[in-house]
């Protein structure tokens, strides 16, 4: 069975695309709530601001839950962890679709976030297992998340208008079950046996380079999403974009983000620092220019596309570098990259909201984003000075026999 570590030159294994499909589903469920919030609030008998806690609960679940679930599932076979995560994800959506209690739905969102964190953590470990094309594989997997914003969220919101808000949750539950079948079929059992301890995972966090990569992840995502969170009032009240055209601009943003993850995935393996330094500089410049040039629709839309294209180019590169720096103990680090992105989103959005309430007004979020993107250059320059080379990681860590599909056992290579 093909693996992320063994595939023909120039071709990614099919399992990478299966994992990308999983991230597409999970990205859709993370963001589709925003488009269905009024309907959910009305049906569950609560206010829209209170219903917004469903988004907050998911974000907190991702920030805290990713490293917790990484350690909790450390000794489990990776295939089992992925299948279980998808099963819990599906069950959480079934509970949400059936419940009329806001408290139950809120709890289900938190559990779903934990499952999402576990899936992303193990998925990133698998796709970065081989030194060749690892960043491209990460780009493809993260592309599933980006594609969720371009396709999944709009479709989910559209379907919810006709079937009720529960319809998309039933669909996501079914698709998650289907994804679990594919993951169980296409991820080899022989890749799942890792003899890494919790102590080894924590010890891997001592590397300064790893924290530089995580800092870059926090800052670049905080910069882009700080602006994106409040982009609608900027477009309608300052740039003169009609309210009905805002969804089209958001699709433009999603297409830029999708292109950025593809570019980062393609260039990040051979030129990681040149790619990230250039992309972070362009992101900061685009956000700075958005402040004086957001008075017209054409320039505003162009700069929104550019900030997404450049900003999301950084993501697959720093994710791949962070996991590689962890060497033979990558699971906790992979979880922390997920937490880093969500921390950047939460902190950037909070700062942007504060800035918008000052004399900066609608341009406040863009200024916060520009400063955050510019600060991304600091950890990236430090990384460039310290170097990014890392010994290839061995995914299978010990010599205990692992079962294969024919019922026999096969030795797993020892760690070097």
């Amino acid at each position: 069975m093909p693996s992320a570590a063994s595939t023909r030159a120039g071709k990614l294994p099919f399992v990478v695309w299966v994992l990308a499909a999983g991230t597409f589903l999970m990205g859709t469920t993370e963001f589709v709530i925003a488009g269905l919030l009024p309907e959910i609030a009305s049906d569950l008998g609560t206010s829209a601001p209170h219903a917004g806690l469903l988004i907050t609960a998911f974000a907190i679940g991702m920030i805290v839950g990713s490293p917790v679930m990484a350690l909790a599932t450390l000794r489990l076979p990776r295939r089992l962890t992925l299948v279980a995560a998808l099963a819990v994800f599906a069950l959480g959506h079934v509970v949400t679709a059936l419940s009329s209690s806001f408290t139950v739905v809120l709890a289900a969102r938190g559990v779903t976030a934990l499952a999402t964190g576990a899936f992303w953590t193990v998925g990133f470990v698998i796709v970065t297992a081989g030194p060749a094309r690892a960043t491209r594989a990460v780009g493809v997997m993260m592309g599933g998340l980006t594609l969720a914003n371009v396709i999944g969220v709009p479709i989910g919101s559209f379907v919810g208008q006709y079937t009720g808000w529960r319809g998309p949750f039933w669909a996501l539950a079914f698709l998650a079950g289907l994804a679990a079948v594919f993951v169980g079929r296409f991820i080899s059992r022989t890749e799942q046996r890792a003899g890494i301890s919790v102590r080894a995972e924590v010890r891997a966090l001592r590397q300064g380079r790893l924290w530089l990569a995580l800092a870059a992840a926090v800052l670049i995502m905080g910069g882009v999403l700080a602006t994106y969170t409040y982009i609608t009032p900027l477009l309608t009240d300052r740039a003169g974009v009609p309210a009905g055209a805002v969804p089209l601009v958001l699709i433009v943003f999603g297409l830029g983000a999708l292109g950025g993850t593809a570019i980062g995935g393609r260039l990040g393996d051979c030129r990681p620092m040149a790619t990230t330094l250039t992309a972070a500089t362009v992101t900061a410049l685009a956000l700075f220019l958005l402040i004086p040039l957001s008075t017209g629709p054409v320039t505003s839309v162009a700069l929104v596309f550019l900030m997404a294209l450049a900003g999301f180019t950084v993501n697959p590169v720093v994710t791949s570098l962070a996991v590689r720096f962890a060497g033979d103990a990558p699971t906790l680090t992979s979880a922390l990259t997920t937490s880093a992105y969500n921390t950047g989103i939460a902190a950037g959005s909070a700062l942007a909201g504060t800035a918008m309430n000052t004399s900066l007004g609608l341009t406040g979020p863009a200024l916060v984003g520009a400063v955050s993107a510019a600060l991304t250059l600091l950890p990236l320059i430090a990384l460039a000075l310290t170097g990014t080379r890392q010994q290839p990681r061995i995914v299978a860590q010990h010599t205990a026999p692992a079962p294969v599909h024919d019922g026999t056992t096969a030795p797993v290579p020892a760690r070097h």
Side-chain angles (χ1 to χ4, degrees):
M1 216 175 289
S3 72
S6 58
T7 186
R8 294 194 302 274
K11 182 179 180 181
L12 292 175
F14 183 65
V15 67
V16 174
W17 301 98
V18 174
L19 293 173
T23 60
F24 171 82
L25 296 178
M26 293 175 177
T28 299
T29 201
E30 182 173 6
F31 299 114
V32 76
I33 285 287
L36 301 173
L37 206 58
E39 291 82 3
I40 294 174
S42 176
D43 190 44
L44 297 180
T46 188
S47 65
H50 193 229
L53 291 174
L54 297 175
I55 299 174
T56 305
F58 199 95
I60 294 174
M62 289 291 291
I63 294 170
V64 178
S66 293
V68 170
M69 293 304 296
L71 295 177
T73 62
L74 187 61
R75 297 185 181 276
L76 295 179
R78 290 196 175 102
R79 184 174 69 165
L80 175 61
T81 301
L82 291 174
V83 172
L86 285 166
V88 172
F89 180 89
L91 181 61
H93 283 72
V94 169
V95 170
T96 298
L98 290 174
S99 179
S100 58
S101 166
F102 177 79
T103 302
V104 172
V105 173
L106 184 66
R109 286 285 290 176
V111 172
T112 301
L114 293 178
T116 301
F119 183 91
W120 284 4
T121 296
V122 175
F124 282 138
V125 171
I126 290 176
V127 300
T128 57
R133 297 174 304 282
T135 306
R136 181 185 168 197
V138 170
V140 169
M141 187 172 168
M142 295 186 75
L145 176 62
T146 308
L147 198 62
N149 284 298
V150 181
I151 297 177
V153 172
I155 289 179
S157 299
F158 178 79
V159 170
Q161 303 301 321
Y162 288 90
T163 66
W165 67 269
R166 301 175 192 272
F169 284 86
W170 282 115
L172 287 166
F174 171 77
L175 292 173
L178 190 63
V181 173
F182 274 86
V183 166
R185 170 68 178 83
F186 288 103
I187 292 185
S188 172
R189 294 181 186 179
T190 57
E191 291 182 353
Q192 310 305 312
R193 298 300 182 88
I196 290 297
S197 66
V198 172
R199 181 179 298 177
E201 291 284 343
V202 174
R203 189 166 54 243
L205 301 182
R206 296 177 181 175
Q207 288 202 65
R209 295 183 305 169
L210 188 153
W211 291 101
L212 290 173
L214 292 177
V218 171
L219 289 168
I220 194 67
M221 194 57 17
V224 174
L225 269 297
T227 307
Y228 178 74
T229 300
Y230 298 98
I231 198 65
T232 298
L234 180 73
L235 292 172
T236 56
D237 299 344
R238 181 173 169 84
V241 175
V246 169
L248 298 178
V249 181
L250 300 184
I251 291 176
V252 168
F253 174 90
L255 291 173
L258 187 62
T261 56
I263 292 171
R266 287 284 182 176
L267 301 180
D269 282 316
C270 56
R271 299 179 180 276
M273 299 321 303
T275 300
T276 52
L277 286 168
T278 302
T281 302
V282 173
T283 304
L285 181 61
L287 288 166
F288 271 121
L289 290 176
L290 194 60
I291 298 171
L293 300 181
S294 57
T295 54
V298 175
T299 54
S300 296
V301 173
L303 289 170
V304 165
F305 175 81
L306 183 60
M307 79 171 185
L309 182 72
F312 278 78
T313 296
V314 179
N315 295 348
V317 185
V318 294
T319 298
S320 181
L321 288 176
V323 176
R324 287 184 190 179
F325 291 155
D328 289 343
T331 307
L332 183 56
T333 297
S334 176
L336 289 176
T337 60
T338 301
S339 295
Y341 288 124
N342 281 276
T343 299
I345 292 171
S349 299
L351 289 173
T354 300
M356 195 166 68
N357 289 326
T358 68
S359 60
L360 294 170
L362 295 173
T363 61
L367 180 59
V368 170
V371 172
S372 184
L375 289 174
T376 307
L377 292 170
L378 297 180
L380 291 177
I381 291 172
L383 268 178
L385 295 175
T386 57
T388 60
R389 294 183 64 84
Q390 175 72 22
Q391 291 296 321
R393 171 161 51 86
I394 307 300
V395 175
Q397 308 294 336
H398 58 73
T399 56
V404 294
H405 290 292
D406 60 3
T408 63
T409 59
V412 179
R415 180 178 58 176
H416 300 296

